[in-house]
Amino acid sequence: MATSDEADFLDRFAELREVAAAANGLVKVEVDGTSDLVGLVIDPRAMRLPSEELAAAIREAFGRARAVAQERAMQAVPEALRQETPELTALLKGIEADARGNMNEILLAADELTARLDRLMRQGTRR
């Protein structure tokens, strides 16, 4: 049975959101308390960036948001839950692996989208 402090923590953890921007605000990433990506906004002007720069901006914004979210989440953890256990370590590693997997999927999609836009723009300038 969870204590009220632990229940409050779980609620705060689930609701925690952090947003970070990169590429002069053209890319914004939102993560939750588990570092899962819950929002991605790419300004249409960002599509003019080379695909490598757009991917780097997404990674940069994600990294910033994740770092702040993780710090805030750790500050919200009750002392009783801060003691490291093998179960907690495994859970945290799983969360990190999931977050990295999600980010990789988003970066691949962003690269594909940028490549398509590059091809379309080149075709449009040939006409």
Side-chain angles (χ1 to χ4, degrees):
M1 184 97 177
T3 68
S4 68
D5 281 348
E6 291 169 347
D8 288 345
F9 156 71
L10 293 174
D11 289 341
R12 287 193 311 269
F13 194 73
E15 294 170 0
L16 186 137
R17 297 288 187 272
E18 191 61 45
V19 177
N24 295 319
L26 297 177
V27 173
K28 293 181 183 162
V29 169
E30 181 179 9
V31 299
D32 66 11
T34 66
S35 295
D36 277 348
L37 184 72
V38 295
L40 174 63
V41 176
I42 300 175
D43 186 290
R45 294 172 291 169
M47 298 314 219
R48 296 183 191 126
L49 297 172
S51 61
E52 299 84 16
E53 285 183 36
L54 179 57
I58 294 169
R59 282 192 304 271
E60 178 184 340
F62 178 76
R64 286 180 186 167
R66 182 181 59 190
V68 175
Q70 287 174 345
E71 179 64 30
R72 286 183 53 207
M74 287 307 295
Q75 291 172 355
V77 174
E79 188 60 40
L81 296 177
R82 288 188 191 189
Q83 296 167 9
E84 195 167 320
T85 65
E87 295 85 6
L88 178 60
T89 300
L91 176 65
L92 292 174
K93 286 185 185 224
I95 290 170
E96 181 180 3
D98 287 347
R100 287 181 192 274
N102 290 341
M103 189 63 203
N104 286 336
E105 288 176 21
I106 288 180
L107 289 174
L108 285 173
D111 282 344
E112 289 175 14
L113 181 59
T114 303
R116 286 180 191 170
L117 287 170
D118 285 345
R119 284 192 301 273
L120 288 172
M121 291 178 76
R122 283 193 298 265
Q123 289 175 353
T125 59
R126 290 184 202 156
R127 292 183 179 163

PDB file of all heavy atoms in Angstrom, residues 22-50:
ATOM      1  N   ALA A  22      15.028  24.197 -29.721  1.00  0.00           N
ATOM      2  CA  ALA A  22      16.330  24.281 -30.387  1.00  0.00           C
ATOM      3  C   ALA A  22      16.112  24.949 -31.742  1.00  0.00           C
ATOM      4  O   ALA A  22      14.968  25.218 -32.127  1.00  0.00           O
ATOM      5  CB  ALA A  22      16.936  22.891 -30.554  1.00  0.00           C
ATOM      6  N   ALA A  23      17.192  25.189 -32.432  1.00  0.00           N
ATOM      7  CA  ALA A  23      17.150  25.831 -33.752  1.00  0.00           C
ATOM      8  C   ALA A  23      16.375  27.146 -33.687  1.00  0.00           C
ATOM      9  O   ALA A  23      15.456  27.385 -34.459  1.00  0.00           O
ATOM     10  CB  ALA A  23      16.567  24.891 -34.813  1.00  0.00           C
ATOM     11  N   ASN A  24      16.753  27.984 -32.739  1.00  0.00           N
ATOM     12  CA  ASN A  24      16.113  29.294 -32.557  1.00  0.00           C
ATOM     13  C   ASN A  24      14.604  29.185 -32.382  1.00  0.00           C
ATOM     14  O   ASN A  24      13.844  30.001 -32.902  1.00  0.00           O
ATOM     15  CB  ASN A  24      16.451  30.229 -33.719  1.00  0.00           C
ATOM     16  CG  ASN A  24      17.926  30.571 -33.771  1.00  0.00           C
ATOM     17  OD1 ASN A  24      18.540  30.811 -32.735  1.00  0.00           O
ATOM     18  ND2 ASN A  24      18.493  30.559 -34.953  1.00  0.00           N
ATOM     19  N   GLY A  25      14.172  28.136 -31.662  1.00  0.00           N
ATOM     20  CA  GLY A  25      12.753  27.972 -31.376  1.00  0.00           C
ATOM     21  C   GLY A  25      11.956  27.292 -32.469  1.00  0.00           C
ATOM     22  O   GLY A  25      10.742  27.117 -32.334  1.00  0.00           O
ATOM     23  N   LEU A  26      12.616  26.865 -33.540  1.00  0.00           N
ATOM     24  CA  LEU A  26      11.896  26.221 -34.641  1.00  0.00           C
ATOM     25  C   LEU A  26      11.512  24.774 -34.320  1.00  0.00           C
ATOM     26  O   LEU A  26      10.617  24.218 -34.937  1.00  0.00           O
ATOM     27  CB  LEU A  26      12.725  26.253 -35.928  1.00  0.00           C
ATOM     28  CG  LEU A  26      13.038  27.646 -36.483  1.00  0.00           C
ATOM     29  CD1 LEU A  26      13.921  27.546 -37.711  1.00  0.00           C
ATOM     30  CD2 LEU A  26      11.754  28.407 -36.788  1.00  0.00           C
ATOM     31  N   VAL A  27      12.203  24.182 -33.352  1.00  0.00           N
ATOM     32  CA  VAL A  27      11.922  22.805 -32.933  1.00  0.00           C
ATOM     33  C   VAL A  27      11.645  22.823 -31.439  1.00  0.00           C
ATOM     34  O   VAL A  27      12.438  23.352 -30.666  1.00  0.00           O
ATOM     35  CB  VAL A  27      13.120  21.873 -33.242  1.00  0.00           C
ATOM     36  CG1 VAL A  27      12.894  20.485 -32.659  1.00  0.00           C
ATOM     37  CG2 VAL A  27      13.375  21.805 -34.726  1.00  0.00           C
ATOM     38  N   LYS A  28      10.498  22.252 -31.050  1.00  0.00           N
ATOM     39  CA  LYS A  28      10.141  22.165 -29.628  1.00  0.00           C
ATOM     40  C   LYS A  28       9.772  20.731 -29.309  1.00  0.00           C
ATOM     41  O   LYS A  28       9.019  20.090 -30.044  1.00  0.00           O
ATOM     42  CB  LYS A  28       8.966  23.084 -29.309  1.00  0.00           C
ATOM     43  CG  LYS A  28       9.331  24.545 -29.450  1.00  0.00           C
ATOM     44  CD  LYS A  28       8.184  25.444 -29.124  1.00  0.00           C
ATOM     45  CE  LYS A  28       8.630  26.893 -29.370  1.00  0.00           C
ATOM     46  NZ  LYS A  28       7.540  27.796 -29.497  1.00  0.00           N
ATOM     47  N   VAL A  29      10.325  20.244 -28.195  1.00  0.00           N
ATOM     48  CA  VAL A  29      10.101  18.873 -27.754  1.00  0.00           C
ATOM     49  C   VAL A  29       9.530  18.910 -26.345  1.00  0.00           C
ATOM     50  O   VAL A  29       9.971  19.699 -25.507  1.00  0.00           O
ATOM     51  CB  VAL A  29      11.436  18.085 -27.763  1.00  0.00           C
ATOM     52  CG1 VAL A  29      11.296  16.753 -27.076  1.00  0.00           C
ATOM     53  CG2 VAL A  29      11.922  17.901 -29.189  1.00  0.00           C
ATOM     54  N   GLU A  30       8.542  18.046 -26.093  1.00  0.00           N
ATOM     55  CA  GLU A  30       7.952  17.920 -24.757  1.00  0.00           C
ATOM     56  C   GLU A  30       8.101  16.480 -24.300  1.00  0.00           C
ATOM     57  O   GLU A  30       7.789  15.549 -25.041  1.00  0.00           O
ATOM     58  CB  GLU A  30       6.473  18.306 -24.794  1.00  0.00           C
ATOM     59  CG  GLU A  30       5.808  18.226 -23.424  1.00  0.00           C
ATOM     60  CD  GLU A  30       4.346  18.637 -23.457  1.00  0.00           C
ATOM     61  OE1 GLU A  30       3.788  18.828 -24.555  1.00  0.00           O
ATOM     62  OE2 GLU A  30       3.745  18.744 -22.376  1.00  0.00           O
ATOM     63  N   VAL A  31       8.606  16.304 -23.078  1.00  0.00           N
ATOM     64  CA  VAL A  31       8.748  14.974 -22.492  1.00  0.00           C
ATOM     65  C   VAL A  31       7.958  14.922 -21.192  1.00  0.00           C
ATOM     66  O   VAL A  31       7.666  15.949 -20.587  1.00  0.00           O
ATOM     67  CB  VAL A  31      10.226  14.593 -22.231  1.00  0.00           C
ATOM     68  CG1 VAL A  31      11.024  14.562 -23.518  1.00  0.00           C
ATOM     69  CG2 VAL A  31      10.871  15.526 -21.228  1.00  0.00           C
ATOM     70  N   ASP A  32       7.644  13.676 -20.768  1.00  0.00           N
ATOM     71  CA  ASP A  32       6.956  13.515 -19.490  1.00  0.00           C
ATOM     72  C   ASP A  32       7.951  13.062 -18.423  1.00  0.00           C
ATOM     73  O   ASP A  32       9.157  13.021 -18.662  1.00  0.00           O
ATOM     74  CB  ASP A  32       5.766  12.547 -19.629  1.00  0.00           C
ATOM     75  CG  ASP A  32       6.180  11.126 -19.954  1.00  0.00           C
ATOM     76  OD1 ASP A  32       7.384  10.776 -19.877  1.00  0.00           O
ATOM     77  OD2 ASP A  32       5.274  10.335 -20.281  1.00  0.00           O
ATOM     78  N   GLY A  33       7.441  12.710 -17.267  1.00  0.00           N
ATOM     79  CA  GLY A  33       8.290  12.328 -16.137  1.00  0.00           C
ATOM     80  C   GLY A  33       9.094  11.068 -16.352  1.00  0.00           C
ATOM     81  O   GLY A  33      10.061  10.819 -15.640  1.00  0.00           O
ATOM     82  N   THR A  34       8.726  10.267 -17.349  1.00  0.00           N
ATOM     83  CA  THR A  34       9.486   9.058 -17.667  1.00  0.00           C
ATOM     84  C   THR A  34      10.452   9.291 -18.819  1.00  0.00           C
ATOM     85  O   THR A  34      11.049   8.345 -19.312  1.00  0.00           O
ATOM     86  CB  THR A  34       8.550   7.886 -18.026  1.00  0.00           C
ATOM     87  OG1 THR A  34       7.862   8.193 -19.234  1.00  0.00           O
ATOM     88  CG2 THR A  34       7.562   7.599 -16.911  1.00  0.00           C
ATOM     89  N   SER A  35      10.570  10.524 -19.252  1.00  0.00           N
ATOM     90  CA  SER A  35      11.402  10.929 -20.387  1.00  0.00           C
ATOM     91  C   SER A  35      10.846  10.462 -21.719  1.00  0.00           C
ATOM     92  O   SER A  35      11.543  10.484 -22.724  1.00  0.00           O
ATOM     93  CB  SER A  35      12.852  10.452 -20.233  1.00  0.00           C
ATOM     94  OG  SER A  35      13.459  11.078 -19.143  1.00  0.00           O
ATOM     95  N   ASP A  36       9.580  10.041 -21.738  1.00  0.00           N
ATOM     96  CA  ASP A  36       8.953   9.703 -23.014  1.00  0.00           C
ATOM     97  C   ASP A  36       8.622  10.979 -23.762  1.00  0.00           C
ATOM     98  O   ASP A  36       8.201  11.970 -23.161  1.00  0.00           O
ATOM     99  CB  ASP A  36       7.663   8.906 -22.811  1.00  0.00           C
ATOM    100  CG  ASP A  36       7.905   7.425 -22.612  1.00  0.00           C
ATOM    101  OD1 ASP A  36       9.038   6.965 -22.847  1.00  0.00           O
ATOM    102  OD2 ASP A  36       6.954   6.733 -22.218  1.00  0.00           O
ATOM    103  N   LEU A  37       8.805  10.945 -25.038  1.00  0.00           N
ATOM    104  CA  LEU A  37       8.457  12.073 -25.884  1.00  0.00           C
ATOM    105  C   LEU A  37       6.941  12.133 -25.992  1.00  0.00           C
ATOM    106  O   LEU A  37       6.307  11.175 -26.418  1.00  0.00           O
ATOM    107  CB  LEU A  37       9.081  11.884 -27.270  1.00  0.00           C
ATOM    108  CG  LEU A  37       8.893  13.023 -28.233  1.00  0.00           C
ATOM    109  CD1 LEU A  37       9.745  14.211 -27.820  1.00  0.00           C
ATOM    110  CD2 LEU A  37       9.276  12.595 -29.618  1.00  0.00           C
ATOM    111  N   VAL A  38       6.349  13.252 -25.565  1.00  0.00           N
ATOM    112  CA  VAL A  38       4.884  13.391 -25.620  1.00  0.00           C
ATOM    113  C   VAL A  38       4.459  14.506 -26.565  1.00  0.00           C
ATOM    114  O   VAL A  38       3.271  14.655 -26.843  1.00  0.00           O
ATOM    115  CB  VAL A  38       4.264  13.604 -24.217  1.00  0.00           C
ATOM    116  CG1 VAL A  38       4.468  12.380 -23.353  1.00  0.00           C
ATOM    117  CG2 VAL A  38       4.828  14.838 -23.532  1.00  0.00           C
ATOM    118  N   GLY A  39       5.421  15.273 -27.056  1.00  0.00           N
ATOM    119  CA  GLY A  39       5.080  16.335 -27.993  1.00  0.00           C
ATOM    120  C   GLY A  39       6.288  16.744 -28.815  1.00  0.00           C
ATOM    121  O   GLY A  39       7.409  16.755 -28.327  1.00  0.00           O
ATOM    122  N   LEU A  40       6.027  17.031 -30.079  1.00  0.00           N
ATOM    123  CA  LEU A  40       7.074  17.505 -30.985  1.00  0.00           C
ATOM    124  C   LEU A  40       6.440  18.507 -31.929  1.00  0.00           C
ATOM    125  O   LEU A  40       5.460  18.189 -32.599  1.00  0.00           O
ATOM    126  CB  LEU A  40       7.679  16.346 -31.785  1.00  0.00           C
ATOM    127  CG  LEU A  40       8.685  16.721 -32.869  1.00  0.00           C
ATOM    128  CD1 LEU A  40       9.922  17.382 -32.269  1.00  0.00           C
ATOM    129  CD2 LEU A  40       9.086  15.480 -33.662  1.00  0.00           C
ATOM    130  N   VAL A  41       6.979  19.726 -31.933  1.00  0.00           N
ATOM    131  CA  VAL A  41       6.491  20.762 -32.835  1.00  0.00           C
ATOM    132  C   VAL A  41       7.674  21.199 -33.696  1.00  0.00           C
ATOM    133  O   VAL A  41       8.709  21.609 -33.177  1.00  0.00           O
ATOM    134  CB  VAL A  41       5.923  21.970 -32.053  1.00  0.00           C
ATOM    135  CG1 VAL A  41       5.510  23.076 -33.013  1.00  0.00           C
ATOM    136  CG2 VAL A  41       4.762  21.537 -31.176  1.00  0.00           C
ATOM    137  N   ILE A  42       7.483  21.075 -35.004  1.00  0.00           N
ATOM    138  CA  ILE A  42       8.507  21.516 -35.948  1.00  0.00           C
ATOM    139  C   ILE A  42       7.892  22.632 -36.782  1.00  0.00           C
ATOM    140  O   ILE A  42       6.946  22.407 -37.530  1.00  0.00           O
ATOM    141  CB  ILE A  42       8.978  20.360 -36.845  1.00  0.00           C
ATOM    142  CG1 ILE A  42       9.572  19.238 -35.991  1.00  0.00           C
ATOM    143  CG2 ILE A  42      10.000  20.866 -37.859  1.00  0.00           C
ATOM    144  CD1 ILE A  42       9.958  18.003 -36.773  1.00  0.00           C
ATOM    145  N   ASP A  43       8.399  23.824 -36.583  1.00  0.00           N
ATOM    146  CA  ASP A  43       7.933  24.971 -37.348  1.00  0.00           C
ATOM    147  C   ASP A  43       8.201  24.701 -38.836  1.00  0.00           C
ATOM    148  O   ASP A  43       9.257  24.165 -39.178  1.00  0.00           O
ATOM    149  CB  ASP A  43       8.707  26.213 -36.878  1.00  0.00           C
ATOM    150  CG  ASP A  43       8.201  27.488 -37.496  1.00  0.00           C
ATOM    151  OD1 ASP A  43       8.410  27.677 -38.716  1.00  0.00           O
ATOM    152  OD2 ASP A  43       7.621  28.307 -36.761  1.00  0.00           O
ATOM    153  N   PRO A  44       7.279  25.044 -39.710  1.00  0.00           N
ATOM    154  CA  PRO A  44       7.507  24.803 -41.141  1.00  0.00           C
ATOM    155  C   PRO A  44       8.825  25.388 -41.660  1.00  0.00           C
ATOM    156  O   PRO A  44       9.448  24.831 -42.564  1.00  0.00           O
ATOM    157  CB  PRO A  44       6.304  25.480 -41.811  1.00  0.00           C
ATOM    158  CG  PRO A  44       5.234  25.448 -40.774  1.00  0.00           C
ATOM    159  CD  PRO A  44       5.949  25.603 -39.456  1.00  0.00           C
ATOM    160  N   ARG A  45       9.261  26.480 -41.063  1.00  0.00           N
ATOM    161  CA  ARG A  45      10.538  27.080 -41.499  1.00  0.00           C
ATOM    162  C   ARG A  45      11.722  26.157 -41.220  1.00  0.00           C
ATOM    163  O   ARG A  45      12.748  26.240 -41.881  1.00  0.00           O
ATOM    164  CB  ARG A  45      10.753  28.425 -40.824  1.00  0.00           C
ATOM    165  CG  ARG A  45       9.730  29.478 -41.260  1.00  0.00           C
ATOM    166  CD  ARG A  45       9.853  30.733 -40.445  1.00  0.00           C
ATOM    167  NE  ARG A  45       9.399  30.414 -39.081  1.00  0.00           N
ATOM    168  CZ  ARG A  45       9.551  31.196 -38.041  1.00  0.00           C
ATOM    169  NH1 ARG A  45      10.138  32.359 -38.162  1.00  0.00           N
ATOM    170  NH2 ARG A  45       9.110  30.841 -36.863  1.00  0.00           N
ATOM    171  N   ALA A  46      11.574  25.256 -40.241  1.00  0.00           N
ATOM    172  CA  ALA A  46      12.656  24.322 -39.919  1.00  0.00           C
ATOM    173  C   ALA A  46      12.879  23.323 -41.041  1.00  0.00           C
ATOM    174  O   ALA A  46      13.958  22.736 -41.154  1.00  0.00           O
ATOM    175  CB  ALA A  46      12.344  23.580 -38.614  1.00  0.00           C
ATOM    176  N   MET A  47      11.886  23.149 -41.886  1.00  0.00           N
ATOM    177  CA  MET A  47      12.019  22.197 -42.983  1.00  0.00           C
ATOM    178  C   MET A  47      13.008  22.680 -44.042  1.00  0.00           C
ATOM    179  O   MET A  47      13.414  21.913 -44.902  1.00  0.00           O
ATOM    180  CB  MET A  47      10.656  21.930 -43.631  1.00  0.00           C
ATOM    181  CG  MET A  47       9.679  21.318 -42.669  1.00  0.00           C
ATOM    182  SD  MET A  47      10.442  19.972 -41.757  1.00  0.00           S
ATOM    183  CE  MET A  47       9.109  18.841 -41.725  1.00  0.00           C
ATOM    184  N   ARG A  48      13.406  23.929 -43.952  1.00  0.00           N
ATOM    185  CA  ARG A  48      14.419  24.455 -44.870  1.00  0.00           C
ATOM    186  C   ARG A  48      15.828  24.077 -44.430  1.00  0.00           C
ATOM    187  O   ARG A  48      16.782  24.229 -45.188  1.00  0.00           O
ATOM    188  CB  ARG A  48      14.298  25.977 -44.956  1.00  0.00           C
ATOM    189  CG  ARG A  48      12.995  26.429 -45.555  1.00  0.00           C
ATOM    190  CD  ARG A  48      12.946  27.944 -45.698  1.00  0.00           C
ATOM    191  NE  ARG A  48      11.609  28.362 -46.027  1.00  0.00           N
ATOM    192  CZ  ARG A  48      10.918  29.263 -45.351  1.00  0.00           C
ATOM    193  NH1 ARG A  48      11.448  29.862 -44.307  1.00  0.00           N
ATOM    194  NH2 ARG A  48       9.692  29.575 -45.705  1.00  0.00           N
ATOM    195  N   LEU A  49      15.948  23.598 -43.190  1.00  0.00           N
ATOM    196  CA  LEU A  49      17.257  23.182 -42.685  1.00  0.00           C
ATOM    197  C   LEU A  49      17.677  21.881 -43.363  1.00  0.00           C
ATOM    198  O   LEU A  49      16.829  21.056 -43.696  1.00  0.00           O
ATOM    199  CB  LEU A  49      17.189  22.941 -41.170  1.00  0.00           C
ATOM    200  CG  LEU A  49      16.860  24.132 -40.276  1.00  0.00           C
ATOM    201  CD1 LEU A  49      16.646  23.673 -38.839  1.00  0.00           C
ATOM    202  CD2 LEU A  49      17.988  25.150 -40.342  1.00  0.00           C
ATOM    203  N   PRO A  50      18.964  21.694 -43.545  1.00  0.00           N
ATOM    204  CA  PRO A  50      19.422  20.380 -44.022  1.00  0.00           C
ATOM    205  C   PRO A  50      18.971  19.301 -43.031  1.00  0.00           C
ATOM    206  O   PRO A  50      18.855  19.565 -41.828  1.00  0.00           O
ATOM    207  CB  PRO A  50      20.950  20.512 -44.038  1.00  0.00           C
ATOM    208  CG  PRO A  50      21.209  21.986 -44.089  1.00  0.00           C
ATOM    209  CD  PRO A  50      20.065  22.631 -43.358  1.00  0.00           C
TER     210      PRO A  50
END
